[in-house]
Amino acid sequence: MGFLKGTKLNSILFGKCPVCHNESMYIQSNPYIFSQTLKMNERCSHCNTKYKIEPSFFYGAMYVSYPVGIIFAGIAFGISYFLFEASRMNMFLSILATMVILLPIIMRLSRNIWINFFMKYDPEKDRLSSSKTS
């Protein structure tokens, strides 16, 4: 997915450093290892960006998680209602199952969106970090 490099979408979808897009912010790439879901590296090893700008920085991601969850719930509703013509109870259960199953992904997406509000891609840092690793 190199064509997305340099866009916020790359950092948000793949959990890459918001400044250089070279390294994952998370220690474990699999969000379904629940003890490691939100464990992040302290800094990017390529550009030295500090991810936790201040203590409790990612509390703001809770505000982002609500609309992200609503989007996933809306998609689950649309699929169950329009494709499967499910009853109200089955629609409710499909939305509930979607929210529970996708919880680790929603939490990470919310963090990724939140940090990208405050940091932006810097091609200069990307170039410098790429030349250090070469």
Side-chain angles (χ1 to χ4, degrees):
M1 290 288 174
F3 66 92
L4 288 177
K5 189 162 186 170
T7 65
K8 290 208 179 273
L9 199 56
N10 181 44
S11 178
I12 290 169
L13 292 179
F14 303 112
K16 299 289 186 182
C17 171
V19 176
C20 71
H21 293 192
N22 283 316
E23 179 182 76
S24 175
M25 291 188 289
Y26 299 97
I27 292 171
Q28 177 59 249
S29 62
N30 183 354
Y32 288 98
I33 298 175
F34 298 118
S35 64
Q36 302 286 312
T37 298
L38 296 178
K39 298 245 171 129
M40 299 179 74
N41 294 312
E42 186 69 32
R43 294 181 177 272
C44 176
S45 65
H46 292 276
C47 67
N48 205 31
T49 297
K50 185 176 181 182
Y51 296 132
K52 294 179 184 176
I53 298 171
E54 60 187 31
S56 306
F57 172 69
F58 286 107
Y59 280 144
M62 291 187 300
Y63 296 103
V64 176
S65 70
Y66 183 76
V68 171
I70 293 296
I71 290 168
F72 282 108
I75 292 169
F77 167 78
I79 289 171
S80 62
Y81 182 77
F82 293 111
L83 289 180
F84 298 112
E85 298 176 356
S87 67
R88 284 186 187 161
M89 180 55 82
N90 287 338
M91 283 188 287
F92 171 74
L93 292 174
S94 70
I95 292 169
L96 183 65
T98 300
M99 298 302 287
V100 169
I101 291 168
L102 295 179
L103 180 65
I105 292 171
I106 291 169
M107 290 187 329
R108 280 199 178 181
L109 272 175
S110 301
R111 277 187 169 213
N112 298 348
I113 292 168
W114 184 251
I115 198 168
N116 273 280
F117 280 142
F118 299 97
M119 296 181 186
K120 66 178 188 167
Y121 177 71
D122 185 354
E124 188 62 34
K125 285 195 177 188
D126 180 22
R127 244 189 319 277
L128 289 174
S129 65
S130 296
S131 64
K132 276 195 277 184
T133 58
S134 298

